[in-house]
Amino acid sequence: MATTFAPPPDTSRDGADLARFGYEPVLHRKLGRYASFAAGFSFVSILTTIFQFFGFGYSFGGAAFFWTWPIVFAGQFLVALNFAELAARYPISGCIYQWSRRLGGELIGWFAGWMMVIAQIVTAAAAAIALQVVLPSIWSGFQLVGDDTALTSSSGATNAVLLGSILLVVTTVINVIGIDLMSRINSIGVTVEIVGVLAIIGLFFTHTERGPGVVLQTDQAVPGSYWAAFLVSGLMAAYVMVGFDSAGELSEETKNPRRVAPRTILTALAVSALGGGLLLIGALMAAPSLSDGSLATEGLAYVLTSKLDSPAGTVLLSCVAVAITVCTLAIQTAGSRLMFSMARDGKLPFAERLAAVHPRFGTPVLPAVIIGVLGIGLLVLNLGNAAIFATLASVCIVTLYLAYLLVTVPLLVRRIKGMPADEGTEAGLFSLGRLGIPVNVLAVLWGIAMAVNLAWPRAEVYTPNGGGWWMLWAAPLFVLLVVGVGVVVHRFVGQPPSAGENPEPATRSA
């Protein structure tokens, strides 16, 4: 049984609701609707991820790779609909673990949480290195190592590690200080990002070089089967549209989470999809050239600087840097809450310390520090490796999609058997009703297809500049490693409770 440091008891309705699941309210409940939306939107962070991966998608599929965006959105929205329903039923921190555990039993829940924690640690590191895509374009002084800023170069990859490590130190400090500071910074950052997205879209659409018919062009795709190239280019959208469940991760710090979290999960994904789609088509219409290679190597930064090479352009690139910062912050926050939730149930080594909440800051300090340190460790481990960018992104997203499947599959089984009337549910909450089973089936099929597509050992993705067989098979090998280590860890974290049984509430001490 974990020990936590806590503020005075939460006597609100939300606190009483949480107590029905067997937990004492120990986190500070301060997030409103916009802050909850910002948590999901900043994790997806279209400015961060599209700036990172636009060149990747275009280099494989040409301009027609745009169509992977609405396809991936449709698939992920099916997943989000299921998550929204679960957020209304189980407003508990560490949602992926909690949902999976209560639907599929302790073992499935534990592995869902374990894989999600690992994915979030790697995702935080992968997001942090995105600063390299932007900062040297703002000021050459940010290129601390060498002269080549490209992430595919040795000096660019090394510099990305340094900038990313500095960012992870900053986000760790913010996460330790408290949810109040984190939510304020995150909400301001998301507002800046939305303004930046709108400004960049406006810039692109007022400086077009060609019409919207560009999205039908495939002549710049890699030679060979276009459908094979199209599948690879779809990884760009798959990398972007994840993390919308973050509103659920922060349920115990959100006011009226049963009603707020489902809406913000769906809104965060929908707004991201709309903004990202307009960014993509705007960039393709405004790019000075589709064939000189710059769009594939430099991505959106090439289009932006070519259209606005002035102080205003620098301001817009600064908006991207802000987006990267709050994206990394949001990922680390979500990961720390998931780690806290598992530790509170005694499901991780050193659970008592991991579940401890700082009496003043109201945050699980140690999980935030561990995620920051491990994220930096991942970057340092690959110092100077030009393949780090694609490899980190690919392996962490595969793991994340598998964690999502460990929620949607047990949920489908429970739907078929008949969903129970869980304690604490009430009328008027978000529900798929009769659409539950068909939507859930499609979400499961989509998740399986994307996991296979992401993990497929393609040389052009995992070893573009050559490398050993282990790099080519990095994604499946990483998943096997995560599962293998998970088996060992799970064996030594104590006897699990019966499937579906609520854990004992955490105690509080000074």
Side-chain angles (χ1 to χ4, degrees):
M1 185 164 60
T3 300
T4 63
F5 298 93
D10 183 349
T11 57
S12 67
R13 179 183 176 184
D14 291 337
D17 188 23
L18 179 63
R20 284 196 286 267
F21 290 103
Y23 297 112
E24 291 186 23
V26 295
L27 300 175
H28 293 177
R29 197 178 291 276
K30 295 186 176 183
L31 302 183
R33 188 181 302 276
Y34 186 74
S36 178
F37 160 79
F41 185 85
S42 58
F43 196 125
V44 178
S45 189
I46 52 178
L47 276 188
T48 300
T49 44
I50 292 180
F51 261 80
Q52 274 183 303
F53 297 112
F54 181 95
F56 176 89
Y58 183 82
S59 65
F60 285 99
F65 97 98
F66 165 82
W67 295 105
T68 63
W69 187 262
I71 292 172
V72 172
F73 165 66
Q76 290 298 78
F77 198 71
L78 293 170
V79 177
L81 286 169
N82 286 281
F83 284 5
E85 189 172 40
L86 291 173
R89 296 176 71 91
Y90 307 114
I92 311 172
S93 289
C95 61
I96 298 298
Y97 156 70
Q98 292 287 353
W99 296 342
S100 180
R101 171 180 171 269
R102 292 167 190 275
L103 294 167
E106 186 277 335
L107 184 63
I108 293 176
W110 191 89
F111 273 98
W114 172 255
M115 296 184 79
M116 193 68 181
V117 164
I118 300 300
Q120 287 170 331
I121 291 171
V122 182
T123 306
I129 61 176
L131 281 180
Q132 179 64 24
V133 182
V134 179
L135 289 187
S137 298
I138 296 175
W139 177 48
S140 60
F142 285 118
Q143 185 65 30
L144 307 174
V145 178
D147 299 317
D148 193 340
T149 63
L151 274 169
T152 52
S153 69
S154 179
S155 63
T158 301
N159 200 67
V161 168
L162 296 178
L163 294 178
S165 297
I166 294 170
L167 176 56
L168 283 167
V169 170
V170 172
T171 57
T172 299
V173 172
I174 294 171
N175 263 306
V176 166
I177 291 177
I179 192 64
D180 232 354
L181 178 62
M182 178 271 166
S183 65
R184 288 177 186 174
I185 292 175
N186 197 49
S187 295
I188 292 171
V190 164
T191 302
V192 170
E193 180 172 2
I194 291 174
V195 171
V197 168
L198 294 175
I200 293 172
I201 290 172
L203 173 69
F204 288 168
F205 276 88
T206 55
H207 293 76
T208 59
E209 301 285 341
R210 59 195 64 83
V214 65
V215 298
L216 300 177
Q217 295 184 23
T218 61
D219 52 320
Q220 298 303 319
V222 296
S225 168
Y226 183 73
W227 292 112
F230 188 76
L231 284 175
V232 177
S233 70
L235 301 186
M236 175 266 184
Y239 292 157
V240 176
M241 283 188 264
V242 293
F244 44 84
D245 54 289
S246 291
E249 298 285 6
L250 302 179
S251 287
E252 291 180 37
E253 292 153 284
T254 303
K255 300 171 185 176
N256 195 14
R258 285 187 184 271
R259 298 186 182 276
V260 170
R263 296 175 185 175
T264 52
I265 286 173
L266 297 176
T267 305
L269 180 58
V271 171
S272 298
L274 177 61
L278 292 173
L279 271 178
L280 291 178
I281 193 170
L284 292 169
M285 292 168 62
S289 173
L290 298 178
S291 58
D292 66 357
S294 298
L295 200 55
T297 56
E298 300 176 43
L300 287 191
Y302 157 68
V303 185
L304 181 58
T305 53
S306 67
K307 295 297 177 182
L308 201 62
D309 189 11
S310 66
T314 301
V315 170
L316 291 181
L317 284 174
S318 298
C319 290
V320 180
V322 170
I324 293 168
T325 300
V326 295
C327 175
T328 307
L329 177 63
I331 295 169
Q332 189 176 19
T333 304
S336 66
R337 298 317 186 262
L338 176 55
M339 191 177 290
F340 159 78
S341 185
M342 294 182 70
R344 178 174 56 182
D345 288 355
K347 301 304 179 191
L348 291 175
F350 311 106
E352 186 171 338
R353 294 182 181 180
L354 288 171
V357 174
H358 193 279
R360 176 183 174 188
F361 300 141
T363 56
V365 172
L366 189 56
V369 172
I370 288 176
I371 291 174
V373 170
L374 291 179
I376 293 172
L378 280 173
L379 298 182
V380 172
L381 186 64
N382 292 275
L383 196 64
N385 184 356
I388 178 178
F389 178 61
T391 302
L392 269 182
S394 299
V395 299
C396 70
I397 300 301
V398 172
T399 310
L400 194 148
Y401 271 78
L402 290 176
Y404 282 1
L405 276 170
L406 289 178
V407 174
T408 55
V409 172
L411 175 59
L412 178 59
V413 173
R414 288 290 289 270
R415 287 190 195 279
I416 294 172
K417 291 181 177 179
M419 290 287 285
D422 291 89
E423 183 180 8
T425 58
E426 59 186 75
L429 296 178
F430 181 87
S431 174
L432 292 174
R434 295 179 180 178
L435 295 175
I437 290 180
V439 169
N440 205 155
V441 168
L442 291 173
V444 169
L445 293 175
W446 166 257
I448 293 172
M450 285 308 300
V452 172
N453 190 31
L454 284 160
W456 201 263
R458 299 180 177 95
E460 59 268 35
V461 175
Y462 291 100
T463 56
N465 299 314
W469 65 270
W470 61 272
M471 291 180 64
L472 182 63
W473 291 83
L477 286 174
F478 183 78
V479 171
L480 288 175
L481 177 63
V482 169
V483 172
V485 174
V487 169
V488 175
V489 173
H490 182 265
R491 183 175 180 181
F492 292 100
V493 291
Q495 293 296 319
S498 301
E501 175 185 326
N502 284 340
E504 295 182 35
T507 59
R508 295 160 38 213
S509 66

